[in-house]
Structures are given as structure tokens and as C-alpha cells.
Amino acid sequence: MFEGAWLALGRSARGDLEAACALGQVVTDRLDVVGSPRSAALLHQLAADLRRRQRNTHVRSFLPTLENALTQHAPSAPPGR
């Protein structure tokens, strides 16, 4: 999951938003199974990056799914507390 989130960020940085969203979807689908705070942090970073690119069709269709998943899987307390 962690590597997939990094790959999605890398694709987004290169401007390949279709691949970034596809990879992001795979990682997002795993949030129910894998509770990785590091992966979730990368997905938050991906969401922030994609918010700036909402004119893209792929981003527009995927971003609400990503943001909803991140909201549903937010920890009840910040890590370390």
C-alpha cells in the first residue's frame, strides 16, 4: 500500500493524472484492510496535489472517492497520543 501511494504521487508529479488516479484508487480500496498511517499520510498528500488539478476528468471523478475514504478512515486521535 505504501509503495502504491508513492507511485501515485510520482505519476501525479509527472503529469500522468490518469495513472495517478488509477493507482490511487487501488491504494484507497485497501484502506479498509491495511491501517497504515504512513500510507494514509501519502494519500493526504496525493489528495492535496490532485485538488490543484481538478480540471482533469480523471481527477474530478476520483478525488471525491479519495477524500471520502480518507475522512472515513481518519484516526480518532492523532498518532502518539
Side-chain angles (χ1 to χ4, degrees), residues 12-51:
S12 178
R14 291 191 68 162
D16 188 355
L17 299 178
E18 182 177 3
C21 292
L23 287 163
Q25 184 65 59
V26 171
V27 177
T28 300
D29 290 344
R30 301 225 27 171
L31 278 173
D32 286 337
V33 180
V34 181
S36 168
R38 291 186 326 156
S39 297
L42 290 174
L43 287 176
H44 279 284
Q45 189 176 343
L46 177 63
D49 185 44
L50 294 178
R51 276 186 213 105

